[in-house]
Structure formats: structure tokens, C-alpha cells
Amino acid sequence: MKKRLAFIIFPFLLSACIDWSVNPQPFPVWTAIPTRTPGIVTATPVIIFGTGTSLPFTLTPDVITVTPSETPTATITDTPAPTGTSTPFQAVEVTILGCNTSIDITHGMGEVTNAYVTVKNTGNTDLLNTCALLRAIDEGREHPDKKRCVDNLPLGNQVTQKLTVDSTYKQSTIIQVDVSSNDILLLRVDKQSCTDISLSGGAPSDAGVIKPITP
């Protein structure tokens, strides 16, 4: 019985001498997954304005060159008018030098009134077909010399005309003178009492003559 028990126990004792533990496995070592070489990021490209005209812009690896799409042109402005010029205008100055009376037998009239009138062109343009017309408050028949004209009165010139109207005998005559150019009235002058021309040096001898304006 003891021998049988020894045979039973012996295997257990033998097994106690054997290392039944499980050898630990080595821990896995993690390595980084190989990656591609990172791309090289360059600085912001420099923009340079050029003067070429072949392309709107030229692209290079590091530099962008921008060229103008259109060549600027100078702005055209109106040429100012030369200084010293002005818009043409018509102007006259009229002076009644004096009057006298006479008898006009040639035209079958009695007493007539003569008025001596100087017309000056004080504008900046010539006066074409310049006429002076005489009227009287007591005028009778129309006298052929009540209107006198010149074809052209240049600027800066004057003319003295002798105008005649049929008037009432020995009556004070109120007269009126109209000056026109090409039938456009420029000035009207009235005179309540026309001074005797003999008191101011007598009747002018250059009636109808165009000459430069005198003071």
C-alpha cells in the first residue's frame, strides 16, 4: 500500500520540479509608418509690374510679373480760345450837333428843318447798311432827305449826316433820330429843342464822309 501511494505521489513531485509557467511574449515595438518627403512651401510670390505688352502677365516659379493690358493715352482737351477775343456786338453813339431851317423850293415845300447828326460805331464789328432817320413832331410831307445811309460804317469810325424834314413855319420843332443797321434799330435819340447850328461853329462841311472817331 505504501509503495502504491509512492507511485501516485511521485508524478506530482516530479511535476513540481518542472516550470509550468508560460514564457511571456515580447512586447510589440511600434514603428512610424514611413511617409513621403514633405513638400517645400515657398514664400508668397513677388509681384512686379513690367512694361511689356506681349502677355497680360508672366508666371515663373518664384516671381509673377504683371504687365499693363493697355498703354495709357493722354487725354485730349479742348484748346482754349485765344485771349482778347469776344462775341461781336453792335453799338453806336449818336450826337445831334444842331439844327437850322430853310425854304425848300426844289421839292415844292416851304420851311424845312435840317438836323446835323453824327453817328459813331462804338461796337466791335462793322455796321452794314447804317442809316439815320429824322422825324419831327410837326412833320408835314415826307422829305426825301429825312433818311441817310452808308453801305458800311467800320468799327472805330463815324459819319455826320444832314437830315431834313418838312416842318411847320416858325414853330418849335421836337425832333427824333433813329439809327439802324440792316433795318435793326440800334439807338433812338430825342431832342426837345434843337440848338441853332450856327451857334456851335456852323454846319459841318464833311457831311456823308466816313472818318475815324474823334474826341
Side-chain angles (χ1 to χ4, degrees):
M1 183 69 180
K2 291 183 180 179
K3 189 179 288 188
R4 181 178 299 179
L5 182 60
F7 280 107
I8 295 172
I9 296 174
F10 180 77
F12 286 100
L13 294 175
L14 182 62
S15 62
C17 295
I18 300 173
D19 188 0
W20 293 96
S21 62
V22 178
N23 291 330
Q25 296 293 325
F27 288 98
V29 179
W30 296 97
T31 58
I33 299 174
T35 59
R36 292 178 297 176
T37 302
I40 299 174
V41 179
T42 59
T44 303
V46 179
I47 298 177
I48 300 176
F49 289 90
T51 58
T53 57
S54 59
L55 291 173
F57 63 86
T58 302
L59 179 61
T60 62
D62 295 323
V63 179
I64 297 177
T65 302
V66 178
T67 59
S69 58
E70 294 183 0
T71 302
T73 56
T75 303
I76 300 175
T77 58
D78 294 334
T79 303
T83 58
T85 61
S86 58
T87 303
F89 69 92
Q90 297 176 329
V92 294
E93 180 182 318
V94 179
T95 302
I96 300 176
L97 302 176
C99 300
N100 60 18
T101 59
S102 62
I103 303 299
D104 188 352
I105 299 175
T106 305
H107 296 97
M109 298 179 184
E111 182 184 276
V112 294
T113 297
N114 305 304
Y116 298 87
V117 179
T118 298
V119 180
K120 299 179 180 180
N121 182 353
T122 57
N124 65 354
T125 184
D126 294 348
L127 298 177
L128 302 178
N129 191 28
T130 304
C131 299
L133 173 68
L134 177 65
R135 292 190 178 95
I137 193 172
D138 60 342
E139 187 176 352
R141 290 184 296 167
E142 184 172 322
H143 196 283
D145 295 332
K146 68 175 296 176
K147 183 178 182 179
R148 293 282 189 178
C149 301
V150 292
D151 293 336
N152 181 35
L153 183 60
L155 60 92
N157 283 262
Q158 66 181 30
V159 61
T160 298
Q161 300 285 26
K162 177 186 177 183
L163 308 175
T164 303
V165 292
D166 182 16
S167 57
T168 303
Y169 181 66
K170 290 186 178 181
Q171 294 291 325
S172 178
T173 300
I174 300 174
I175 63 173
Q176 174 182 283
V177 177
D178 293 349
V179 176
S180 62
S181 174
N182 279 339
D183 297 325
I184 298 175
L185 180 64
L186 301 178
L187 187 63
R188 174 173 290 166
V189 178
D190 297 327
K191 200 166 186 68
Q192 296 295 318
S193 178
C194 187
T195 305
D196 191 340
I197 190 69
S198 62
L199 300 178
S200 58
S205 59
D206 58 352
V209 177
I210 298 173
K211 60 182 182 180
I213 294 176
T214 56

